[in-house]
Amino acid sequence: MTIDLALIDAIVTDKGVDPTRAIPVLQAVQDKFRHVPLQAIERIAATTEMTESQLYGVVTFYSQFRLTPVGEKIVKVCHGTACHVGGAEGLTESLESRLGIKDGENTPDMKYTLDSVACVGCCSLAPVVMVEDKVFGKLDRKKAAKIIDEYDSSGGSR
Amino acid sequence: MTQVKKRVVVGMSTCNMAAGADEVFDFLKEKVAGGLDVKLSITGCLGMCYAEPQVQVFDEDGTRHLYVGVNANRIAKIVDDHIIAGKPRDKWIVKYDEGDTQKLMAKQERIVLANSGIIDPDEIDDYLAVDGYAALRTVLEENDRMQVIQTVTDSGLRGRGGAGFPTGLKWKFAYGYENDKKYIVCNADEGDPGAFMDRTILESDPHAVLEGMIIGAFATGADEAYVYCRAEYPLAIKRLNRAIEQATEKKLLGDNILGKGFNFHVHVKEGAGTFVCGEETALLASIEGRRGMPRPRPPFPAESGLFGKPTTINNVETWANVPWIIRKGAEAFAAIGTEKSKGSKVFALAGKIKHGGLVEVPMGITLEEIIHEVGGGTGTNREVKSVQLGGPSGGCVPRSLFDTKIDYDEVNKTGAIMGSGGMVVMDDTTCMVDVARYFLNFTQIESCGKCTFCRVGTTRMLEILTRICDGKGVPEDIETLEDLADQIKNTSLCGLGQTAPNPVLTTLRYFRDEYEEHINDKKCRAGKCRELCIYEITDDCNGCMVCAKNCPTNCISGEKKQLHVIKQDDCIRCGVCRDVCKQDAVIVK
């Protein structure tokens, strides 16, 4: 996949060229492409004071950044303490079997990515699953799988 | 004369919205657009997360009715019966002086949460109406920086991020270092799983945090600040940015604040999902655009912090305490709490607890009071077994020590830490070895890798704990865990490594018998470790078929009103049957 380098240049112009701006620049790149393409890192390094090694170091250090493409909807199962105690493992298992993929993988049609996250801070609704920015609380195995059914039947818009 | 209308206020915090508050708000908005004559607004979180969403209706005479558990059906009825016909639906209303809610509220001491769920966090005028920015005005009028620091020192306020360092002393250090540039940092990188105090404060009362920071900047001599907030908290970031805009418009932020010649600018920096960035030197590295790895101290940030300049770092809750202290005086704050821990503390109650949510209690209250009175116990027929305090840096305190007072030093004696305020309650279905494994898995992933013992030691500890949970533990494992824990604590640079073994050490101290059972008897009494337990249905089964319907592998057979049987070969020991059985007929062997 080749990316439009003009988009990267626009982000750099907006966020800044100084090495201290590495994280906001990369966050904007990921917002745009849903992952950080290696080409973007090369382009940023070529046009700013940041180096490829700094950018790659930052991308691989922070868990927010991804170097590979993701599905249209990221399904994040919260594995915070309250969710763990409340059965988060079962939700991951249920979603794995519903989506036919393992935790961390994309569905072959690139509609969903299944992921585990540390804590989304909605502990009183544990266990929870987040689809993009929407939180679903007080789930069990069945309800977790049903979320996907609802997204599927609404054509992904819900 | 302006006509007085009914007011309807919808709680709109992240967890409220997850429970459906946004749909309730949209419904009301449509009604208002259609001619319903009420003043509609939003507010933050009341802390009663167990009964969300919440809608407050204020009658024309100011009488407040708090509706809980408001779903789409209920709001339609509330509009028709209460708002239009004037007959409140008492069944869904809770009162602060009755029943469970009375118990929940009676022992709370609300300083930081005083405005949460009351004011509209998006409207600075709401904050101004409750004496907001009055403390800042006082401080700028009096123009005595050392006096501000003295007041904070005298109040006894200690860092609410967990370590409990005296705030006044921290400010005094930063004040003492001469420099043409100084910074303020607000640590909102609330990474402890099971904690959501700072998110709620920022979502419910962002101006209180800003006011605290402005006062701190004036006192220490800073003119620029960063709020380092988790990217996982989009609503908190949005409300904070709006608060900054509004405060700037009102000349409470920016250049020449209130015409007193004092300049102060605040930036919001989104974190990128890494736990160790809650450590102050790692956080600073992250703001500077580098990998968030801690460095040795000294020099402390007060001397050489952000971009090498003197920097004062406090967490969200600490900053939010400051305006109250200035307004009411150091003595009023110091009058609350114990000898060495003053004021109140916000806790996030979660896990096996009836009243899950956010509570603010005076220091000195016991764990028993918080969990069984304020929190209402488990809310099931199961007993509380332990409470986990302080997240991955903390520990599990057993029921037998619930007379422990909330006080930095008293909590430390149990082997746990006060921490930032996460309190996860556990009952007998929670396996303590599994909890220790859970936290080690977390710290092992989050270790930045700089210190060998933290990087490799946590990996080895996790391997051993996983082995024990899988039924492959050997008797020497316990001693090896204790050795490794000791070495990691003593050789790690930052708080992450120094405290990472705490969950293991406290569970070994208080629940050693569970470890021994796992290792020697190959048994998990909680029914959590799958290799070590068998689920069986006893004669108490009345054949209701609920377990069979819910079993994910369809391995429960039996006719209606007949004893059910679990086919062990297909059972994955997920525990769903036990959770759904109303007869308590599913047991773990």
Side-chain angles (χ1 to χ4, degrees):
Chain A
M1 189 182 84
T2 27
I3 58 167
D4 184 357
L5 295 177
L7 293 172
I8 305 292
D9 296 346
I11 287 170
V12 168
T13 310
D14 180 40
K15 299 287 174 187
V17 296
D18 187 86
T20 64
R21 306 298 297 159
I23 295 172
V25 166
L26 290 165
Q27 282 171 333
V29 169
Q30 182 154 301
D31 273 350
K32 186 70 99 195
F33 298 95
R34 293 180 59 80
H35 74 289
V36 179
L38 284 175
Q39 261 185 299
I41 291 181
E42 287 163 13
R43 181 67 179 183
I44 299 165
T47 55
T48 68
E49 293 159 38
M50 300 171 222
T51 61
E52 278 186 42
S53 65
Q54 183 206 355
L55 291 163
Y56 191 75
V58 166
V59 167
T60 50
F61 184 81
Y62 295 97
S63 60
Q64 183 190 27
F65 295 118
R66 298 176 293 262
L67 286 162
T68 48
V70 285
E72 281 164 43
K73 298 258 183 280
I74 305 177
V75 181
K76 299 174 205 162
V77 181
C78 179
H79 284 263
T81 321
C83 290
H84 177 76
V85 171
E89 221 174 305
L91 302 189
T92 296
E93 282 178 3
S94 161
L95 286 164
E96 281 178 340
S97 85
R98 172 64 184 77
L99 293 168
I101 51 173
K102 289 279 163 210
D103 188 22
E105 293 179 350
N106 304 323
T107 52
D109 61 2
M110 290 304 277
K111 269 174 86 176
Y112 300 101
T113 298
L114 184 60
D115 205 2
S116 294
V117 293
C119 182
V120 298
C122 288
C123 312
S124 52
L125 298 172
V128 307
V129 166
M130 225 171 149
V131 182
E132 293 296 301
D133 277 346
K134 174 122 179 104
V135 179
F136 298 85
K138 296 187 180 164
L139 299 175
D140 55 31
R141 285 169 178 261
K142 285 197 169 163
K143 286 185 196 158
K146 246 177 93 182
I147 297 172
I148 305 297
D149 296 342
E150 283 175 31
Y151 273 98
D152 272 352
S153 63
S154 65
S157 62
R158 200 181 184 276
Chain B
M1 205 182 110
T2 50
Q3 173 120 26
V4 180
K5 308 182 191 186
K6 280 200 178 71
R7 284 201 299 130
V8 181
V9 183
V10 183
M12 295 276 267
S13 54
T14 299
C15 40
N16 257 309
M17 281 151 80
D22 41 358
E23 283 146 33
V24 170
F25 185 75
D26 288 345
F27 175 86
L28 288 165
K29 218 160 84 177
E30 261 178 46
K31 284 277 171 191
V32 171
L36 184 70
D37 192 26
V38 294
K39 184 172 182 288
L40 178 64
S41 61
I42 64 156
T43 188
C45 178
L46 276 171
M48 301 156 86
C49 305
Y50 62 94
E52 285 173 332
Q54 286 139 12
V55 173
Q56 300 171 59
V57 178
F58 293 84
D59 291 340
E60 290 82 347
D61 62 0
T63 310
R64 172 177 181 247
H65 307 268
L66 171 59
Y67 285 96
V68 298
V70 183
N71 53 27
N73 280 333
R74 284 189 183 182
I75 191 63
K77 294 197 171 97
I78 293 166
V79 168
D80 288 344
D81 295 358
H82 185 166
I83 299 174
I84 296 172
K87 286 185 201 134
R89 300 278 296 204
D90 287 331
K91 213 166 64 181
W92 306 325
I93 293 176
V94 298
K95 297 203 168 87
Y96 280 6
D97 52 0
E98 281 177 15
D100 271 5
T101 320
Q102 192 266 338
K103 280 191 192 148
L104 173 75
M105 300 307 291
K107 296 219 160 159
Q108 294 202 44
E109 177 75 53
R110 294 194 160 214
I111 294 174
V112 171
L113 299 182
N115 299 328
S116 291
I118 310 291
I119 66 168
D120 182 344
D122 279 340
E123 295 301 331
I124 192 169
D125 287 336
D126 269 31
Y127 184 65
L128 290 168
V130 289
D131 273 347
Y133 291 105
L136 175 65
R137 279 175 208 279
T138 311
V139 162
L140 293 183
E141 288 295 333
E142 289 175 0
N143 196 20
D144 185 347
R145 292 166 58 197
M146 207 49 222
Q147 182 55 46
V148 177
I149 294 172
Q150 195 58 47
T151 303
V152 175
T153 306
D154 291 346
S155 75
L157 176 65
R158 292 169 68 173
R160 298 295 193 238
F165 191 82
T167 307
L169 195 57
K170 205 182 239 186
W171 291 18
K172 198 173 160 189
F173 289 148
Y175 172 90
Y177 290 107
E178 288 294 328
N179 207 304
D180 55 352
K181 183 84 188 172
K182 292 184 193 176
Y183 288 99
I184 291 286
V185 170
C186 172
N187 185 346
D189 192 45
E190 187 171 53
D192 280 6
F196 50 96
M197 300 76 51
D198 295 346
R199 168 177 70 69
T200 310
I201 295 167
L202 287 172
E203 284 176 6
S204 304
D205 198 9
H207 285 287
V209 181
L210 277 184
E211 189 180 1
M213 290 172 66
I214 306 169
I215 293 168
F218 175 76
T220 59
D223 66 355
E224 198 172 352
Y226 286 87
V227 179
Y228 188 90
C229 185
R230 290 184 82 193
E232 289 88 338
Y233 290 173
L235 185 66
I237 292 171
K238 193 174 136 205
R239 294 208 171 139
L240 185 64
N241 275 320
R242 186 172 164 94
I244 291 171
E245 261 173 46
Q246 293 185 336
T248 309
E249 272 169 30
K250 299 249 181 208
K251 298 268 175 211
L252 296 158
L253 258 184
D255 288 332
N256 195 17
I257 293 173
L258 294 172
K260 299 286 181 190
F262 163 55
N263 306 332
F264 184 54
H265 296 267
V266 179
H267 315 283
V268 178
K269 184 96 180 177
E270 275 183 46
T274 297
F275 178 68
V276 72
C277 287
E279 198 279 341
E280 59 182 15
T281 59
L283 186 152
L284 296 177
S286 182
I287 296 179
E288 292 171 3
R290 295 182 283 124
R291 288 163 74 95
M293 289 161 93
R295 62 157 175 80
R297 296 172 301 181
F300 285 89
E303 181 184 357
S304 174
L306 194 57
F307 303 114
K309 303 292 182 187
T311 303
T312 310
I313 306 177
N314 283 124
N315 109 311
V316 171
E317 190 183 336
T318 315
W319 289 120
N321 268 295
V322 171
W324 192 97
I325 291 169
I326 303 288
R327 276 201 318 272
K328 312 259 175 165
E331 278 173 24
F333 193 81
I336 306 164
T338 63
E339 194 195 337
K340 287 188 176 154
S341 303
K342 301 297 189 189
S344 63
K345 178 78 195 83
V346 181
F347 287 101
L349 286 178
K352 308 289 170 99
I353 185 102
K354 190 175 177 193
H355 298 154
L358 218 58
V359 298
E360 183 172 359
V361 288
M363 297 278 191
I365 192 172
T366 63
L367 285 172
E368 175 69 24
E369 288 172 285
I370 298 182
I371 290 161
H372 282 102
E373 292 181 40
V374 179
T378 59
T380 62
N381 51 8
R382 298 193 177 275
E383 290 283 306
V384 175
K385 167 157 130 185
S386 167
V387 62
Q388 209 282 340
L389 300 179
S393 311
C396 295
V397 181
R399 180 82 196 264
S400 57
L401 291 179
F402 274 16
D403 56 352
T404 302
K405 285 193 164 94
I406 293 299
D407 171 295
Y408 289 97
D409 312 290
E410 291 298 311
V411 174
N412 279 347
K413 283 185 200 159
T414 67
I417 60 165
M418 177 90 104
S420 60
M423 243 187 213
V424 182
V425 179
M426 295 158 181
D427 66 14
D428 63 348
T429 63
T430 313
C431 167
M432 303 315 283
V433 186
D434 175 68
V435 167
R437 185 184 61 89
Y438 165 78
F439 281 114
L440 254 292
N441 181 49
F442 182 87
T443 36
Q444 185 266 328
I445 291 169
E446 296 294 342
S447 168
C448 79
K450 186 167 184 162
C451 308
T452 313
F453 271 88
C454 177
R455 182 180 71 241
V456 184
T458 54
T459 309
R460 291 291 95 84
M461 283 181 88
L462 176 61
E463 283 168 3
I464 295 170
L465 290 162
T466 306
R467 183 162 81 210
I468 297 174
C469 289
D470 286 347
K472 294 175 187 144
V474 290
E476 305 86 82
D477 281 345
I478 293 182
E479 203 182 316
T480 315
L481 282 174
E482 284 171 333
D483 268 358
L484 281 167
D486 189 50
Q487 287 164 354
I488 295 169
K489 276 173 101 80
N490 288 320
T491 60
S492 296
L493 194 57
C494 84
L496 188 148
Q498 287 161 12
T499 59
N502 284 350
V504 180
L505 289 173
T506 50
T507 47
L508 272 172
R509 184 161 153 195
Y510 300 117
F511 302 97
R512 202 181 190 91
D513 50 343
E514 289 195 33
Y515 280 84
E516 287 165 354
E517 258 176 30
H518 278 69
I519 294 169
N520 302 328
D521 311 333
K522 309 295 175 202
K523 183 173 181 293
C524 172
R525 64 172 87 168
K528 182 85 188 173
C529 299
R530 295 179 181 185
E531 304 300 324
L532 301 181
C533 59
I534 299 172
Y535 279 82
E536 278 181 4
I537 297 173
T538 67
D539 294 346
D540 292 335
C541 171
N542 65 355
C544 71
M545 301 191 73
V546 169
C547 60
K549 277 184 204 139
N550 281 282
C551 174
T553 59
N554 295 318
C555 71
I556 302 177
S557 58
E559 295 299 312
K560 205 168 182 182
K561 295 194 177 162
Q562 308 243 320
L563 183 69
H564 290 12
V565 179
I566 298 173
K567 195 178 166 205
Q568 295 299 339
D569 287 351
D570 294 338
C571 174
I572 56 168
R573 288 125 190 149
C574 65
V576 166
C577 50
R578 178 177 60 176
D579 293 343
V580 297
C581 181
K582 294 211 166 60
Q583 311 300 319
D584 286 333
V586 181
I587 57 159
V588 178
K589 276 193 174 167

